[in-house]
Amino acid sequence: MWVPDLRKLHDANLRGVTGAAIFTCSKKRGLSLEEKREQMLQIFYESQGFYQLKDLEKLGPKKGVISQSVKDVVQGLVDDDLVFKDKIGTSVYFWSLPSRAGNQLRQTRAKLEADLEGARKRQTLLQEQREVAKKGREDSSDRVTALGTLTELQKKHKSIKEELDLYAQNDPAVYEQMSKATDVAHKAANRWTENIFALQQWCANTFPDAKERLESAYSEAGITEDLDYVD
């Protein structure tokens, strides 16, 4: 989450330098999003007043923030809880206090410190687990020999598995399964062929005057005179 650089804002206020003067040179290159946010916050901090969006769109250019981007910049500050927004009657007002940004910084710092402490504890735990895991695995001639034997056995296992895969198609169980699947497919094909013949006969009996149109429909569906039962 973005938080303002309070030191910049504070130093600028102490020197009595206005936003327009601060960014006289910057206008040529355009303000970054961070600079726009800081300048809009300075408007609130200098007066500690309440503003409508139309007021901010007039004040923004004086700080180097074009009026077209004021709405998005202010909404971003609202989303980050750095600017308050409330509806009073039919109007929407925005306001903010320097202490709000300070609280935001303190909350961010507290979260980062908590994350850092958690990471340190995790690191300590992993180091302890590493030391425990290293016990019994110290380098020795026996361990080197055992690791070499393990590597050779793993290679042999892989080679045997690959050889078994080559003979898988000749496995009696696999063959039987394929035979059963073929039988099921054979029966299903003939059953559907019988259904097609029955449907053609029904259409011929029901629509005797539509023979040519029916034959055209059969042809489009891929049903030709070659259709027959599977032996």
Side-chain angles (χ1 to χ4, degrees):
M1 179 183 292
W2 180 87
V3 290
D5 190 333
L6 293 181
R7 186 172 57 184
K8 283 184 181 179
L9 296 175
H10 180 66
D11 290 347
N13 286 332
L14 288 179
R15 292 196 303 269
V17 182
T18 65
I22 292 175
F23 291 98
T24 299
C25 297
S26 300
K27 286 182 179 179
K28 296 180 180 179
R29 62 173 176 80
L31 302 182
S32 67
L33 178 59
E34 180 181 354
E35 290 170 336
K36 290 177 181 179
R37 290 163 69 98
E38 289 179 351
Q39 287 306 299
M40 292 308 299
L41 278 177
Q42 193 175 35
I43 293 175
F44 291 105
Y45 295 168
E46 287 175 347
S47 65
Q48 299 187 20
F50 295 80
Y51 300 94
Q52 290 183 291
L53 182 60
K54 62 182 180 181
D55 300 324
L56 295 172
E57 288 175 340
K58 294 178 181 179
L59 294 172
K62 297 179 181 180
K63 293 290 187 178
V65 183
I66 61 175
S67 59
Q68 291 86 344
S69 63
V70 167
K71 180 178 180 180
D72 291 337
V73 174
V74 172
Q75 185 58 51
L77 294 172
V78 172
D79 294 340
D80 287 344
D81 295 329
L82 293 171
V83 170
F84 291 99
K85 173 183 176 181
D86 202 358
K87 187 174 183 180
I88 302 176
T90 59
S91 302
V92 177
Y93 289 87
F94 300 86
W95 74 96
S96 181
L97 300 174
S99 59
R100 182 65 181 178
N103 291 334
Q104 191 73 15
L105 284 172
R106 283 188 287 272
Q107 292 174 5
T108 301
R109 177 178 177 178
K111 183 180 183 303
L112 291 174
E113 288 178 344
D115 292 343
L116 178 60
E117 182 62 24
R120 286 173 176 168
K121 291 181 179 179
R122 177 63 177 168
Q123 181 185 25
T124 300
L125 177 61
L126 291 175
Q127 288 175 339
E128 292 175 352
Q129 292 177 344
R130 184 187 65 177
E131 294 302 319
V132 172
K134 287 171 64 176
K135 292 181 180 180
R137 299 184 183 183
E138 296 81 1
D139 289 335
S140 65
S141 58
D142 291 341
R143 186 170 188 273
V144 172
T145 301
L147 289 175
T149 302
L150 175 62
T151 301
E152 291 299 322
L153 289 174
Q154 288 174 336
K155 290 181 179 178
K156 187 175 181 179
H157 176 268
K158 181 180 179 182
S159 177
I160 293 174
K161 187 176 183 303
E162 291 175 350
E163 186 176 358
L164 286 173
D165 291 339
L166 293 176
Y167 295 106
Q169 293 183 352
N170 296 324
D171 188 331
V174 175
Y175 178 80
E176 183 180 357
Q177 184 177 6
M178 291 176 62
S179 178
K180 290 180 179 179
T182 301
D183 183 57
V184 171
H186 178 269
K187 291 179 179 179
N190 285 333
R191 183 170 62 254
W192 280 106
T193 300
E194 178 67 27
N195 291 339
I196 291 173
F197 287 156
L199 179 61
Q200 286 179 317
Q201 186 61 47
W202 181 85
C203 290
N205 294 335
T206 307
F207 309 105
D209 298 330
K211 182 178 179 180
E212 293 183 358
R213 283 184 291 174
L214 287 173
E215 289 180 350
S216 177
Y218 298 151
S219 179
E220 291 179 2
I223 302 174
T224 65
E225 294 179 355
D226 297 332
L227 179 65
D228 202 351
Y229 295 101
V230 179
D231 294 334

